[in-house]
Amino acid sequence: MKKLWFCFKKDLVLSFKSWYIYTELLMAFVFIIILLFIVPENFDSTRTIYAYFDLKPAEMNRIDEFINESEDEIILLDSRADVVDILKKEKSSIGMVVSKQYRQLDYEIILQGFENEKLKTLMKTDFLMHFIEETPRYKSIVTTTTLMGNNEKLSDRLNMLPVFLTMNASFMGLFIIASYIFLDKERGTIRALTVTPLSVWQYLLSKVGLLVMSGLVSSFITAIFVAGTKVNYIGLFFLLVTTNIFGSVLGLYIASFFKDMASAMGWMYSVIILLMFPSFSYYMPAFSPLALKLLPSYPMLFAYRELFFEHGNISYVYNVCLMFSILSIIIFLMANKKFKETLTI
Amino acid sequence: MIKVKGLYHSYSNDDKYAVKDANFEIKKGEVFGFLGPSGAGKSTTQGVLTGLLPIQKGEVTIAGYDIRNPKKEMFNLIGVSFEQSNVYDKLTAYENLNFYRKLFDVKTRKPKELLELVGLDHVANKKAGEFSKGMKHRLTFIRSMINNPIIWFLDEPTTGLDPAIASEIKEIIKKEKEKGVTIFLTTHNMYVADELCDRIAFIIDGEIKLIDSPRNLKLKYGKKLVEVEHFENDILKKESLSLIEPKDKARLNDIITAGNIEIMHTKEATLEEIFIKVTGKELK
Ligand SMILES: Nc1ncnc2c1ncn2[C@@H]1O[C@H](COP(=O)(O)OP(=O)(O)OP(=O)(O)O)[C@@H](O)[C@H]1O
Ligand SMILES: [Mg+2]
């Protein structure tokens, strides 16, 4: 135990003198800056309508009412030509021209041209509905029922945090720990350690400890800046520890098969890409094939998300922690066994 | 202290052996030298003996421990110095030693004392990365003796060092030998082998060709030579003559009779000459 501590202390000192640890911190800061200053709290779903109304002032009263009620932002222009001109610049907007022909109102919707049929139909229906709702004695009988127990939704900004935390734990750790091992191999320092009473597991565990520590620091900083008090920090601590251990022991196990970083790169990369797939399900819950659910990053993403909900399912989080602890022990033992043969070759 | 029986090692795990059927025993307190040219398999043998390379075929015991399943405590008893220095560049010389000593469960030597031994005390707080090659080599060397090993493995301890430092290192090795430390050393320098070793193994292409003491080797294979420098018709001539060959003996007689001798001395065959004679190859 004492040796493990000395080894860890040495690794910690050395890590501050190499740039790997700073990469992780830098990544965290870049992410914080992007989330806080570039990504809006919620992505804007209202659109802007540029409109021209060719009506007499007396008839504009009704129009003002319409504008105030609308969810979309409506900007009035002076002619149809102005509408067309501005649409050429504002590619995500649409235009509307309303004029009076004899006794009926004539609506013209001007689109960009790249909208698909589905959208056009949708807009047409939307307009029709608008008028139907205005007719006397109209009654809607549509009711909405939510099937999911917890229908809490995170803001778009918070919703990105679980993805970052998963990446930080499972991908960064995986890469950095392998880099540390291969650096020791390349410099030959590992050979000097092997001819002392230090055990291979002590050497490996010290590296895992280092990675967990840097993972905790960078993740906590990110969570504090982006989510503030809207996190269950105790749960976050345990999930960070277990998932970071998992990521680093996975990196160890992959590294144990190779003699240098160059030859391990292909596998490392493939594993990371594979682990990124569950984020599709995360953003599109409808797309959750079993193959994705079986990947470890799937429960990781969803467990992290629970922590940011006001009424998150904490027992799910702790189950995931338990699962990663067990997996990590198994993988660590396998890596230790393999490294006993390959560490000094 | 060290027993090696039928040891083979192949890096490619086939029959291209870097070490072939090595057999030897090293007694307590003995200095045993592996002498051979580059690529002979010296470092490979040391690698297997210290557990760095897996043992594929054969038997090795170090201080009674079977190297196939070495107990961690065995490493308290041995010290290993490497051909290529492998210290932490980002740590100072002192920090390197101070970290290393904590890995042992036995009494260790003070880093300061060791640094003084090889004249590195004035740069104790300098990062090893800023050291010259020779300085790093010395640091690697003293690190290997920090746990007072009773078996000491030295891979090319003096190679690449300037003569003054090399002789300092040799003195340190001799002192440890006097303390009764068993030493396995590899070198391709026959002077080093001659000066330090009780017994020498000639190794070439992975095979041990012969094992004997430097003295016996010289007696067995060395031929007595006389070197003379003399004037013949006012020209200085230099000749090496055997004291055994009749033709050479007669020639020597003539030179002595003529009486124009400037310098004359007898010369022993060097280990290098013996190595070439035994193995048919040079020690390069
Ligand atoms: N890591 C390795 N992988 C494959 N082959 C190796 C490796 N190390 C050494 N060899 C080969 O094994 C043979 C013996 O090498 P070894 O390093 O033991 O020689 P050596 O006697 O120590 O030479 P030197 O005096 O140059 O240090 C050589 O043919 C070498 O090419
Ligand atoms: Mg060598």
Side-chain angles (χ1 to χ4, degrees), chain B residues 42-43 83 155-156:
Chain B
K42 306 184 294 290
S43 301
E83 192 174 8
D155 200 353
E156 311 271 5

Side-chain angles (χ1 to χ4, degrees), chain A residues 3 10 188 192 197-198 344, chain B residues 52 72 76 86 88 100 105 143:
Chain A
K3 279 180 215 158
K10 182 258 321 174
L198 185 77
T344 54
Chain B
L52 287 171
K72 275 290 145 192
N76 283 319
N86 51 7
Y88 291 106
Y100 204 70
D105 314 305
R143 189 183 60 188

Side-chain angles (χ1 to χ4, degrees), chain B residues 240-255:
Chain B
S240 275
L241 299 165
S242 163
L243 291 179
I244 301 155
E245 305 253 321
K247 209 175 106 220
D248 280 12
K249 268 158 75 181
R251 171 78 183 138
L252 186 62
N253 232 336
D254 291 347
I255 295 171

Side-chain angles (χ1 to χ4, degrees), chain B residues 217-235:
Chain B
L217 285 171
K218 283 177 201 163
L219 284 179
K220 233 189 265 177
Y221 296 94
K223 43 182 187 187
K224 284 255 154 65
L225 293 176
V226 174
E227 285 204 331
V228 274
E229 288 181 32
H230 63 99
F231 282 102
E232 201 173 82
N233 306 326
D234 289 339
I235 300 164

Side-chain angles (χ1 to χ4, degrees), chain B residues 56-283:
Chain B
Q56 299 166 338
K57 204 170 150 193
E59 282 166 40
V60 176
T61 55
I62 305 287
Y65 291 96
D66 182 352
I67 200 74
R68 215 170 265 278
N69 303 300
K71 292 241 163 51
K72 275 290 145 192
E73 69 218 36
M74 179 192 93
F75 292 100
N76 283 319
L77 306 177
I78 74 170
V80 183
S81 182
F82 297 85
E83 192 174 8
Q84 272 126 12
S85 12
N86 51 7
V87 291
Y88 291 106
D89 282 351
K90 302 252 166 72
L91 297 184
T92 65
Y94 177 83
E95 287 167 340
N96 261 294
L97 296 176
N98 203 41
F99 162 63
Y100 204 70
R101 72 189 293 209
K102 288 177 180 150
L103 302 177
F104 294 93
D105 314 305
V106 289
K107 205 165 166 285
T108 50
R109 293 172 76 155
K110 289 198 179 66
K112 198 166 160 285
E113 176 193 312
L114 289 172
L115 288 164
E116 274 167 16
L117 208 59
V118 289
L120 286 178
D121 44 327
H122 64 292
V123 287
N125 295 318
K126 207 168 154 175
K127 286 210 178 101
E130 295 162 22
F131 278 13
S132 73
K133 226 177 121 202
M135 288 159 90
K136 276 192 200 174
H137 193 89
R138 277 181 276 166
L139 185 56
T140 307
F141 174 79
I142 51 174
R143 189 183 60 188
S144 72
M145 54 198 295
I146 205 158
N147 56 323
N148 299 301
I150 59 163
I151 302 180
W152 201 13
F153 294 91
L154 301 170
D155 200 353
E156 311 271 5
T158 58
T159 306
L161 298 179
D162 77 57
I165 295 167
S167 73
E168 255 176 56
I169 298 273
K170 281 188 276 189
E171 288 313 309
I172 296 170
I173 297 173
K174 282 183 198 162
K175 254 198 213 116
E176 291 299 306
K177 175 189 153 77
E178 277 164 28
K179 289 189 206 160
V181 176
T182 310
I183 302 173
F184 175 93
L185 76 83
T186 79
T187 180
H188 54 249
N189 183 324
M190 49 114 190
Y191 294 109
V192 173
D194 197 0
E195 190 178 341
L196 297 175
C197 298
D198 298 316
R199 277 190 309 147
I200 299 171
F202 283 177
I203 178 166
I204 195 148
D205 295 337
E207 278 180 86
I208 296 179
K209 296 290 178 186
L210 127 185
I211 300 176
D212 214 334
S213 69
R215 194 186 135 78
N216 279 347
L217 285 171
K218 283 177 201 163
L219 284 179
K220 233 189 265 177
Y221 296 94
K223 43 182 187 187
K224 284 255 154 65
L225 293 176
V226 174
E227 285 204 331
V228 274
E229 288 181 32
H230 63 99
F231 282 102
E232 201 173 82
N233 306 326
D234 289 339
I235 300 164
L236 188 65
K237 275 196 162 176
K238 195 174 164 182
E239 290 180 52
S240 275
L241 299 165
S242 163
L243 291 179
I244 301 155
E245 305 253 321
K247 209 175 106 220
D248 280 12
K249 268 158 75 181
R251 171 78 183 138
L252 186 62
N253 232 336
D254 291 347
I255 295 171
I256 292 170
T257 319
N260 293 325
I261 295 169
E262 288 279 298
I263 301 170
M264 178 165 115
H265 58 84
T266 57
K267 185 175 154 264
E268 273 188 347
T270 62
L271 275 180
E272 181 148 28
E273 285 161 337
I274 298 171
F275 190 92
I276 295 169
K277 198 163 171 173
V278 173
T279 64
K281 297 216 173 140
E282 291 195 31
L283 261 178

